[in-house]
Amino acid sequence: MVDRELLMEKTKLLNEYINDLEEKKNITLDDLKNDKVLRRYIERTLHLAVEACLDTGNHLVADLALREPEDYKDIMTVLAEAGHLPKNKLARFKKMAQFRNVIVHDYARLDPEILLGILQKNLADLRLFAAMIRDKFL
């Protein structure tokens, strides 16, 4: 049985992170390069948003008794296999998990251009994930 209360809390947090990031979408590459506090804010907020997706995914995998994921990327694959994520967007969702690994393990080499690209082009993927949770489980 899916824990709706937990999913509501995770989705609430995810939407909050996305809204915070949306407020910063118009920053420039120079802003990110020259303002380490802003860069760290964007990095950490993106990290928290992706972690919220992965935590939610892990709970769904467990609660729905789906196959055990091999790693963070595989969480998204398992959800797509079960029909909970659109398969045509799977590559984008898997990139979320890859980003999580970069930000956690290789943070010193995180390129500001990549960070800006994610901020400006990929927030819709996070919104899609939140909508999927809302529409299917809440």
Side-chain angles (χ1 to χ4, degrees):
M1 166 127 330
V2 173
D3 184 342
R4 289 189 52 179
E5 189 173 315
L6 179 118
L7 292 181
M8 285 174 43
E9 180 61 28
K10 294 285 182 189
T11 303
K12 178 182 170 191
L13 288 171
L14 176 56
N15 284 317
E16 180 182 317
Y17 301 143
I18 295 167
N19 291 337
D20 291 346
L21 290 164
E22 289 280 353
E23 291 175 5
K24 303 295 184 186
K25 266 183 98 165
N26 295 323
I27 64 171
T28 66
L29 184 56
D30 283 340
D31 293 333
L32 276 180
K33 287 180 176 179
N34 297 319
D35 187 339
K36 70 180 179 183
V37 174
L38 175 64
R39 187 174 59 251
R40 288 177 185 163
Y41 172 81
I42 300 299
E43 288 173 4
R44 181 63 177 150
T45 306
L46 278 169
H47 178 203
L48 290 169
V50 171
E51 288 286 357
C53 292
L54 294 170
D55 286 350
T56 301
N58 257 335
H59 284 288
L60 287 173
V61 166
D63 289 350
L64 298 172
L66 303 175
R67 79 166 172 83
E68 186 173 338
E70 296 174 19
D71 55 23
Y72 284 110
K73 286 189 308 187
D74 201 33
I75 293 169
M76 300 304 182
T77 302
V78 171
L79 291 173
E81 288 169 354
H84 300 300
L85 289 178
K87 289 185 180 178
N88 65 333
K89 301 283 186 183
L90 180 57
R92 297 181 76 101
F93 288 116
K94 288 170 77 169
K95 282 188 177 191
M96 274 190 224
Q98 287 174 302
F99 175 73
R100 180 253 176 226
N101 288 339
V102 168
I103 208 160
V104 169
H105 299 292
D106 206 13
Y107 53 86
R109 294 190 311 147
L110 189 59
D111 185 339
E113 287 182 43
I114 292 172
L115 193 62
L116 185 62
I118 293 168
L119 179 65
Q120 293 178 341
K121 298 175 188 167
N122 298 101
L123 296 184
D125 298 330
L126 296 168
R127 284 219 185 272
L128 178 60
F129 189 92
M132 179 275 301
I133 299 299
R134 182 194 66 234
D135 294 347
K136 291 188 176 250
F137 300 102
L138 300 179

PDB file of all heavy atoms in Angstrom, residues 72-95:
ATOM      1  N   TYR A  72      20.651   4.380  -8.489  1.00  0.00           N
ATOM      2  CA  TYR A  72      19.711   5.504  -8.536  1.00  0.00           C
ATOM      3  C   TYR A  72      19.051   5.642  -9.901  1.00  0.00           C
ATOM      4  O   TYR A  72      17.848   5.891  -9.996  1.00  0.00           O
ATOM      5  CB  TYR A  72      20.408   6.817  -8.158  1.00  0.00           C
ATOM      6  CG  TYR A  72      20.651   6.947  -6.681  1.00  0.00           C
ATOM      7  CD1 TYR A  72      21.942   6.885  -6.168  1.00  0.00           C
ATOM      8  CD2 TYR A  72      19.603   7.128  -5.797  1.00  0.00           C
ATOM      9  CE1 TYR A  72      22.177   7.004  -4.805  1.00  0.00           C
ATOM     10  CE2 TYR A  72      19.818   7.242  -4.437  1.00  0.00           C
ATOM     11  CZ  TYR A  72      21.112   7.179  -3.946  1.00  0.00           C
ATOM     12  OH  TYR A  72      21.330   7.287  -2.608  1.00  0.00           O
ATOM     13  N   LYS A  73      19.825   5.525 -10.986  1.00  0.00           N
ATOM     14  CA  LYS A  73      19.235   5.625 -12.327  1.00  0.00           C
ATOM     15  C   LYS A  73      18.170   4.561 -12.540  1.00  0.00           C
ATOM     16  O   LYS A  73      17.154   4.807 -13.186  1.00  0.00           O
ATOM     17  CB  LYS A  73      20.307   5.446 -13.409  1.00  0.00           C
ATOM     18  CG  LYS A  73      21.218   6.613 -13.593  1.00  0.00           C
ATOM     19  CD  LYS A  73      22.100   6.438 -14.810  1.00  0.00           C
ATOM     20  CE  LYS A  73      22.822   5.126 -14.789  1.00  0.00           C
ATOM     21  NZ  LYS A  73      23.804   4.959 -15.847  1.00  0.00           N
ATOM     22  N   ASP A  74      18.404   3.397 -11.990  1.00  0.00           N
ATOM     23  CA  ASP A  74      17.494   2.277 -12.203  1.00  0.00           C
ATOM     24  C   ASP A  74      16.150   2.488 -11.511  1.00  0.00           C
ATOM     25  O   ASP A  74      15.157   1.885 -11.899  1.00  0.00           O
ATOM     26  CB  ASP A  74      18.149   0.968 -11.755  1.00  0.00           C
ATOM     27  CG  ASP A  74      17.518  -0.259 -12.391  1.00  0.00           C
ATOM     28  OD1 ASP A  74      17.062  -0.158 -13.548  1.00  0.00           O
ATOM     29  OD2 ASP A  74      17.499  -1.318 -11.729  1.00  0.00           O
ATOM     30  N   ILE A  75      16.089   3.348 -10.510  1.00  0.00           N
ATOM     31  CA  ILE A  75      14.812   3.678  -9.876  1.00  0.00           C
ATOM     32  C   ILE A  75      13.848   4.189 -10.944  1.00  0.00           C
ATOM     33  O   ILE A  75      12.686   3.772 -11.015  1.00  0.00           O
ATOM     34  CB  ILE A  75      14.981   4.738  -8.760  1.00  0.00           C
ATOM     35  CG1 ILE A  75      15.778   4.176  -7.592  1.00  0.00           C
ATOM     36  CG2 ILE A  75      13.617   5.263  -8.297  1.00  0.00           C
ATOM     37  CD1 ILE A  75      16.221   5.231  -6.585  1.00  0.00           C
ATOM     38  N   MET A  76      14.356   5.058 -11.800  1.00  0.00           N
ATOM     39  CA  MET A  76      13.524   5.632 -12.848  1.00  0.00           C
ATOM     40  C   MET A  76      13.111   4.569 -13.867  1.00  0.00           C
ATOM     41  O   MET A  76      11.972   4.559 -14.337  1.00  0.00           O
ATOM     42  CB  MET A  76      14.256   6.784 -13.531  1.00  0.00           C
ATOM     43  CG  MET A  76      14.613   7.913 -12.585  1.00  0.00           C
ATOM     44  SD  MET A  76      13.164   8.563 -11.720  1.00  0.00           S
ATOM     45  CE  MET A  76      13.881   9.878 -10.774  1.00  0.00           C
ATOM     46  N   THR A  77      14.027   3.669 -14.172  1.00  0.00           N
ATOM     47  CA  THR A  77      13.721   2.586 -15.112  1.00  0.00           C
ATOM     48  C   THR A  77      12.631   1.687 -14.550  1.00  0.00           C
ATOM     49  O   THR A  77      11.683   1.319 -15.251  1.00  0.00           O
ATOM     50  CB  THR A  77      14.983   1.763 -15.421  1.00  0.00           C
ATOM     51  OG1 THR A  77      15.985   2.642 -15.959  1.00  0.00           O
ATOM     52  CG2 THR A  77      14.702   0.648 -16.403  1.00  0.00           C
ATOM     53  N   VAL A  78      12.742   1.344 -13.287  1.00  0.00           N
ATOM     54  CA  VAL A  78      11.741   0.479 -12.637  1.00  0.00           C
ATOM     55  C   VAL A  78      10.374   1.146 -12.670  1.00  0.00           C
ATOM     56  O   VAL A  78       9.362   0.503 -12.983  1.00  0.00           O
ATOM     57  CB  VAL A  78      12.167   0.126 -11.193  1.00  0.00           C
ATOM     58  CG1 VAL A  78      11.054  -0.587 -10.446  1.00  0.00           C
ATOM     59  CG2 VAL A  78      13.439  -0.718 -11.195  1.00  0.00           C
ATOM     60  N   LEU A  79      10.321   2.435 -12.386  1.00  0.00           N
ATOM     61  CA  LEU A  79       9.041   3.150 -12.421  1.00  0.00           C
ATOM     62  C   LEU A  79       8.471   3.211 -13.838  1.00  0.00           C
ATOM     63  O   LEU A  79       7.255   3.078 -14.025  1.00  0.00           O
ATOM     64  CB  LEU A  79       9.201   4.555 -11.848  1.00  0.00           C
ATOM     65  CG  LEU A  79       9.477   4.627 -10.345  1.00  0.00           C
ATOM     66  CD1 LEU A  79       9.778   6.065  -9.924  1.00  0.00           C
ATOM     67  CD2 LEU A  79       8.326   4.051  -9.540  1.00  0.00           C
ATOM     68  N   ALA A  80       9.340   3.377 -14.820  1.00  0.00           N
ATOM     69  CA  ALA A  80       8.866   3.390 -16.215  1.00  0.00           C
ATOM     70  C   ALA A  80       8.384   2.008 -16.638  1.00  0.00           C
ATOM     71  O   ALA A  80       7.349   1.886 -17.309  1.00  0.00           O
ATOM     72  CB  ALA A  80       9.984   3.881 -17.138  1.00  0.00           C
ATOM     73  N   GLU A  81       9.098   0.972 -16.238  1.00  0.00           N
ATOM     74  CA  GLU A  81       8.686  -0.400 -16.566  1.00  0.00           C
ATOM     75  C   GLU A  81       7.294  -0.701 -16.004  1.00  0.00           C
ATOM     76  O   GLU A  81       6.509  -1.410 -16.628  1.00  0.00           O
ATOM     77  CB  GLU A  81       9.687  -1.417 -15.994  1.00  0.00           C
ATOM     78  CG  GLU A  81      11.010  -1.458 -16.694  1.00  0.00           C
ATOM     79  CD  GLU A  81      12.059  -2.277 -15.931  1.00  0.00           C
ATOM     80  OE1 GLU A  81      11.807  -2.729 -14.793  1.00  0.00           O
ATOM     81  OE2 GLU A  81      13.152  -2.446 -16.503  1.00  0.00           O
ATOM     82  N   ALA A  82       7.007  -0.148 -14.835  1.00  0.00           N
ATOM     83  CA  ALA A  82       5.712  -0.390 -14.194  1.00  0.00           C
ATOM     84  C   ALA A  82       4.625   0.553 -14.715  1.00  0.00           C
ATOM     85  O   ALA A  82       3.482   0.489 -14.263  1.00  0.00           O
ATOM     86  CB  ALA A  82       5.855  -0.237 -12.674  1.00  0.00           C
ATOM     87  N   GLY A  83       4.977   1.431 -15.643  1.00  0.00           N
ATOM     88  CA  GLY A  83       3.995   2.326 -16.237  1.00  0.00           C
ATOM     89  C   GLY A  83       3.741   3.603 -15.458  1.00  0.00           C
ATOM     90  O   GLY A  83       2.776   4.320 -15.729  1.00  0.00           O
ATOM     91  N   HIS A  84       4.601   3.926 -14.494  1.00  0.00           N
ATOM     92  CA  HIS A  84       4.390   5.116 -13.671  1.00  0.00           C
ATOM     93  C   HIS A  84       5.128   6.341 -14.187  1.00  0.00           C
ATOM     94  O   HIS A  84       4.836   7.458 -13.756  1.00  0.00           O
ATOM     95  CB  HIS A  84       4.775   4.839 -12.223  1.00  0.00           C
ATOM     96  CG  HIS A  84       3.980   3.738 -11.620  1.00  0.00           C
ATOM     97  ND1 HIS A  84       2.605   3.782 -11.506  1.00  0.00           N
ATOM     98  CD2 HIS A  84       4.347   2.529 -11.141  1.00  0.00           C
ATOM     99  CE1 HIS A  84       2.166   2.669 -10.968  1.00  0.00           C
ATOM    100  NE2 HIS A  84       3.204   1.889 -10.727  1.00  0.00           N
ATOM    101  N   LEU A  85       6.083   6.134 -15.077  1.00  0.00           N
ATOM    102  CA  LEU A  85       6.760   7.235 -15.759  1.00  0.00           C
ATOM    103  C   LEU A  85       6.660   6.975 -17.257  1.00  0.00           C
ATOM    104  O   LEU A  85       6.714   5.821 -17.680  1.00  0.00           O
ATOM    105  CB  LEU A  85       8.241   7.301 -15.367  1.00  0.00           C
ATOM    106  CG  LEU A  85       8.599   7.759 -13.963  1.00  0.00           C
ATOM    107  CD1 LEU A  85      10.103   7.705 -13.761  1.00  0.00           C
ATOM    108  CD2 LEU A  85       8.098   9.175 -13.713  1.00  0.00           C
ATOM    109  N   PRO A  86       6.563   8.037 -18.044  1.00  0.00           N
ATOM    110  CA  PRO A  86       6.513   7.833 -19.494  1.00  0.00           C
ATOM    111  C   PRO A  86       7.858   7.335 -20.019  1.00  0.00           C
ATOM    112  O   PRO A  86       8.895   7.938 -19.745  1.00  0.00           O
ATOM    113  CB  PRO A  86       6.169   9.225 -20.041  1.00  0.00           C
ATOM    114  CG  PRO A  86       6.485  10.189 -18.954  1.00  0.00           C
ATOM    115  CD  PRO A  86       6.436   9.442 -17.659  1.00  0.00           C
ATOM    116  N   LYS A  87       7.819   6.247 -20.759  1.00  0.00           N
ATOM    117  CA  LYS A  87       9.063   5.660 -21.268  1.00  0.00           C
ATOM    118  C   LYS A  87       9.799   6.601 -22.214  1.00  0.00           C
ATOM    119  O   LYS A  87      11.022   6.577 -22.275  1.00  0.00           O
ATOM    120  CB  LYS A  87       8.780   4.315 -21.933  1.00  0.00           C
ATOM    121  CG  LYS A  87       8.429   3.254 -20.924  1.00  0.00           C
ATOM    122  CD  LYS A  87       8.263   1.896 -21.555  1.00  0.00           C
ATOM    123  CE  LYS A  87       7.913   0.897 -20.449  1.00  0.00           C
ATOM    124  NZ  LYS A  87       7.688  -0.430 -20.951  1.00  0.00           N
ATOM    125  N   ASN A  88       9.067   7.445 -22.921  1.00  0.00           N
ATOM    126  CA  ASN A  88       9.731   8.367 -23.845  1.00  0.00           C
ATOM    127  C   ASN A  88      10.491   9.477 -23.121  1.00  0.00           C
ATOM    128  O   ASN A  88      11.258  10.210 -23.739  1.00  0.00           O
ATOM    129  CB  ASN A  88       8.716   8.961 -24.833  1.00  0.00           C
ATOM    130  CG  ASN A  88       7.682   9.844 -24.180  1.00  0.00           C
ATOM    131  OD1 ASN A  88       7.348   9.679 -22.997  1.00  0.00           O
ATOM    132  ND2 ASN A  88       7.142  10.775 -24.934  1.00  0.00           N
ATOM    133  N   LYS A  89      10.318   9.606 -21.816  1.00  0.00           N
ATOM    134  CA  LYS A  89      11.045  10.599 -21.010  1.00  0.00           C
ATOM    135  C   LYS A  89      12.071   9.929 -20.092  1.00  0.00           C
ATOM    136  O   LYS A  89      12.717  10.600 -19.298  1.00  0.00           O
ATOM    137  CB  LYS A  89      10.072  11.412 -20.144  1.00  0.00           C
ATOM    138  CG  LYS A  89       9.025  12.170 -20.913  1.00  0.00           C
ATOM    139  CD  LYS A  89       9.589  13.405 -21.523  1.00  0.00           C
ATOM    140  CE  LYS A  89       8.470  14.217 -22.152  1.00  0.00           C
ATOM    141  NZ  LYS A  89       8.968  15.381 -22.815  1.00  0.00           N
ATOM    142  N   LEU A  90      12.214   8.621 -20.196  1.00  0.00           N
ATOM    143  CA  LEU A  90      13.072   7.891 -19.272  1.00  0.00           C
ATOM    144  C   LEU A  90      14.508   8.393 -19.283  1.00  0.00           C
ATOM    145  O   LEU A  90      15.125   8.542 -18.224  1.00  0.00           O
ATOM    146  CB  LEU A  90      13.028   6.386 -19.570  1.00  0.00           C
ATOM    147  CG  LEU A  90      13.886   5.501 -18.669  1.00  0.00           C
ATOM    148  CD1 LEU A  90      13.518   5.695 -17.204  1.00  0.00           C
ATOM    149  CD2 LEU A  90      13.736   4.040 -19.085  1.00  0.00           C
ATOM    150  N   ALA A  91      15.048   8.665 -20.455  1.00  0.00           N
ATOM    151  CA  ALA A  91      16.443   9.136 -20.531  1.00  0.00           C
ATOM    152  C   ALA A  91      16.623  10.417 -19.723  1.00  0.00           C
ATOM    153  O   ALA A  91      17.637  10.585 -19.036  1.00  0.00           O
ATOM    154  CB  ALA A  91      16.851   9.354 -21.978  1.00  0.00           C
ATOM    155  N   ARG A  92      15.642  11.294 -19.768  1.00  0.00           N
ATOM    156  CA  ARG A  92      15.737  12.554 -19.018  1.00  0.00           C
ATOM    157  C   ARG A  92      15.682  12.300 -17.510  1.00  0.00           C
ATOM    158  O   ARG A  92      16.404  12.919 -16.735  1.00  0.00           O
ATOM    159  CB  ARG A  92      14.634  13.503 -19.452  1.00  0.00           C
ATOM    160  CG  ARG A  92      14.757  13.893 -20.924  1.00  0.00           C
ATOM    161  CD  ARG A  92      13.659  14.839 -21.308  1.00  0.00           C
ATOM    162  NE  ARG A  92      13.937  16.163 -20.787  1.00  0.00           N
ATOM    163  CZ  ARG A  92      14.436  17.156 -21.515  1.00  0.00           C
ATOM    164  NH1 ARG A  92      14.689  16.984 -22.777  1.00  0.00           N
ATOM    165  NH2 ARG A  92      14.647  18.334 -20.972  1.00  0.00           N
ATOM    166  N   PHE A  93      14.808  11.377 -17.098  1.00  0.00           N
ATOM    167  CA  PHE A  93      14.712  11.055 -15.675  1.00  0.00           C
ATOM    168  C   PHE A  93      15.997  10.381 -15.184  1.00  0.00           C
ATOM    169  O   PHE A  93      16.436  10.626 -14.060  1.00  0.00           O
ATOM    170  CB  PHE A  93      13.495  10.180 -15.386  1.00  0.00           C
ATOM    171  CG  PHE A  93      12.191  10.914 -15.484  1.00  0.00           C
ATOM    172  CD1 PHE A  93      11.247  10.573 -16.431  1.00  0.00           C
ATOM    173  CD2 PHE A  93      11.899  11.962 -14.629  1.00  0.00           C
ATOM    174  CE1 PHE A  93      10.039  11.257 -16.526  1.00  0.00           C
ATOM    175  CE2 PHE A  93      10.701  12.665 -14.704  1.00  0.00           C
ATOM    176  CZ  PHE A  93       9.777  12.306 -15.665  1.00  0.00           C
ATOM    177  N   LYS A  94      16.584   9.559 -16.011  1.00  0.00           N
ATOM    178  CA  LYS A  94      17.840   8.911 -15.628  1.00  0.00           C
ATOM    179  C   LYS A  94      18.967   9.939 -15.499  1.00  0.00           C
ATOM    180  O   LYS A  94      19.830   9.802 -14.645  1.00  0.00           O
ATOM    181  CB  LYS A  94      18.197   7.819 -16.628  1.00  0.00           C
ATOM    182  CG  LYS A  94      17.274   6.604 -16.506  1.00  0.00           C
ATOM    183  CD  LYS A  94      17.454   5.624 -17.627  1.00  0.00           C
ATOM    184  CE  LYS A  94      18.684   4.791 -17.441  1.00  0.00           C
ATOM    185  NZ  LYS A  94      18.737   3.657 -18.396  1.00  0.00           N
ATOM    186  N   LYS A  95      18.916  10.976 -16.326  1.00  0.00           N
ATOM    187  CA  LYS A  95      19.923  12.035 -16.218  1.00  0.00           C
ATOM    188  C   LYS A  95      19.819  12.763 -14.884  1.00  0.00           C
ATOM    189  O   LYS A  95      20.805  13.255 -14.348  1.00  0.00           O
ATOM    190  CB  LYS A  95      19.810  13.011 -17.380  1.00  0.00           C
ATOM    191  CG  LYS A  95      20.409  12.468 -18.641  1.00  0.00           C
ATOM    192  CD  LYS A  95      20.457  13.507 -19.728  1.00  0.00           C
ATOM    193  CE  LYS A  95      21.129  12.901 -20.942  1.00  0.00           C
ATOM    194  NZ  LYS A  95      21.453  13.906 -21.934  1.00  0.00           N
TER     195      LYS A  95
END
